[in-house]
Amino acid sequence: QLEKEHGPVKHVVLGSVAIEHKVYAGVFAQKFPKADVWVQQGQYAFPQNLPIPFLGFPAGRTKVIPENEEEAPADWKDFEFKTLGPLISKDGAFGETVFFHKPTNTLLVTDTVVEVTKDVPKIFEDDPKPLLYHARTTVTEVVEDTPEVRERGWRRVVLFGLFFTPGALNIKDTNTALAERRPDINSDFAGIYPWDWVGDDIASFKALQGGLLVAPILQQLILNREPIEVLDFADEVAKWPIQRIIPAHFKNNLQYTGKDYRAAFSFLEAKGVPSGLPKPLDIDMKSLRDAEVGLLESGAVAKCPPLPGGDVSREEILKQTVYGCRADICAPRSSP
């Protein structure tokens, strides 16, 4: 259907090193055997770091995204692009190449920003069961399939996806969860519902609304390790005359500008997030902050340098930034 409407697919581009995206990119690329496949530099595998062909990408036609537009294929003339990272940690990495489509002033991103809304994705019209499962407040609650229930289920799915353990959640131990299972109420996962929603998940959700958001896990565990490089990247992206943003997660076709994109990264500045922009509640960030302590102790992530915009100079922040390497690739460094 894609090719019937637009013609042959000539290029398949993966602007990310994230496992959850490249798992499907290789499979997708196999559907178009004549297309060139482009991946961001710094792809990795865990626990064993494998060459790109072993990650499911087609041998012989998989290439690394060029460093600049001058080296890009002629077919890419309508695009500009910029790459963040890869930001390399002990066992993983984060990287993103964003593309700006000049004829439509559209920015294509993978993970760097999302917008949280109460709009339930239409795909759930095919199968609303995940929403009904998560809409329950307790294992014994029976819910009806109504628009309000679906909206509540979506709200909680979003909180799970962004925080893993939202603050409004009370997670039960394994024995309790097994003893309380109710397949007669909802048979998914053998009737197990291993938590109760005991807090104000509505307040948690509302705190994420009002603009573009950088996912909390990126805020707490990844991007704050190299704040100068991330802000330099966001500053460059913001120079494009962006009128629309299409991310890979949640709602797309977002009506935002480059200024809005840059504002999403204000959590990396010493002055903090301005009033009115999305800002996760402390109670929801607690599990990620607790995880950070363990990751620091194990050496999985580096210590955060000071944030820019305060009393510490740019040069000193760069001196305190730890840059990781894997194989023959090291995280790029900004100039002082």
Side-chain angles (χ1 to χ4, degrees), residues 6-289:
H6 298 285
V9 171
K10 298 180 181 179
H11 303 274
V12 176
V13 184
L14 174 66
S16 172
V17 302
I19 292 175
E20 67 270 21
H21 290 287
K22 62 187 172 194
V23 162
Y24 300 104
V27 178
F28 185 85
Q30 299 292 348
K31 302 292 184 180
F32 306 99
K34 295 183 179 180
D36 286 331
V37 180
W38 302 84
V39 299
Q40 181 175 337
Q41 179 174 266
Q43 298 296 326
Y44 73 98
F46 180 83
Q48 184 66 38
N49 198 31
L50 301 172
I52 285 179
F54 285 77
L55 301 180
F57 299 107
R61 58 189 178 100
T62 299
K63 310 171 185 179
V64 175
I65 294 173
E67 293 186 4
N68 52 62
E69 283 86 9
E70 289 73 23
E71 299 175 4
D75 295 337
W76 294 17
K77 60 180 174 52
D78 287 338
F79 291 92
E80 295 182 49
F81 55 93
K82 296 187 184 298
T83 295
L84 171 64
L87 313 179
I88 300 172
S89 60
K90 179 182 177 183
D91 299 317
F94 177 84
E96 176 149 326
T97 301
V98 300
F99 286 79
F100 177 66
H101 187 237
K102 292 180 284 186
T104 60
N105 292 330
T106 299
L107 181 69
L108 306 174
V109 310
T110 305
D111 289 321
T112 47
V113 295
V114 297
E115 183 181 32
V116 173
T117 72
K118 65 179 182 179
D119 301 331
V120 179
K122 290 185 178 181
I123 194 171
F124 285 111
E125 294 176 4
D126 295 335
D127 182 10
K129 288 193 298 183
L131 299 181
L132 304 183
Y133 178 87
H134 286 286
R136 292 180 294 163
T137 298
T138 65
V139 67
T140 57
E141 182 179 5
V142 178
V143 297
E144 297 182 12
D145 186 5
T146 67
E148 292 75 19
V149 167
R150 289 191 181 194
E151 185 177 308
R152 184 168 76 228
W154 170 243
R155 179 173 72 238
R156 291 173 176 179
V157 166
V158 169
L159 293 175
F160 266 119
L162 291 177
F163 295 110
F164 305 133
T165 308
L169 211 62
N170 177 41
I171 298 180
K172 302 173 183 178
D173 62 73
T174 302
N175 290 336
T176 301
L178 290 173
E180 293 183 351
R181 70 188 191 92
R182 290 296 300 271
D184 57 315
I185 293 177
N186 190 310
S187 60
D188 289 346
F189 301 103
I192 297 173
Y193 195 71
W195 49 70
D196 293 328
W197 288 92
V198 297
D200 189 351
D201 59 294
I202 295 177
S204 295
F205 192 79
K206 286 183 176 179
L208 304 177
Q209 296 181 285
L212 295 174
L213 171 74
V214 176
I217 187 173
L218 295 180
Q219 291 193 28
Q220 189 65 37
L221 299 178
I222 299 173
L223 300 185
N224 52 351
R225 267 66 199 166
E226 298 175 42
I228 294 289
E229 284 72 19
V230 176
L231 290 175
D232 285 353
F233 166 81
D235 285 338
E236 289 300 309
V237 172
K239 293 178 181 178
W240 288 326
I242 299 166
Q243 296 180 5
R244 177 173 70 154
I245 299 177
I246 299 179
H249 297 283
F250 300 164
K251 187 177 180 179
N252 61 27
N253 194 24
L254 311 180
Q255 307 303 303
Y256 287 106
T257 66
K259 181 179 179 181
D260 298 318
Y261 183 86
R262 174 60 179 81
F265 294 87
S266 57
F267 70 93
L268 289 174
E269 299 175 283
K271 61 184 179 182
V273 178
S275 177
L277 292 181
K279 184 179 181 181
L281 300 181
D282 287 341
I283 191 174
D284 294 308
M285 294 294 288
K286 184 179 184 304
S287 62
L288 291 174
R289 289 171 177 155

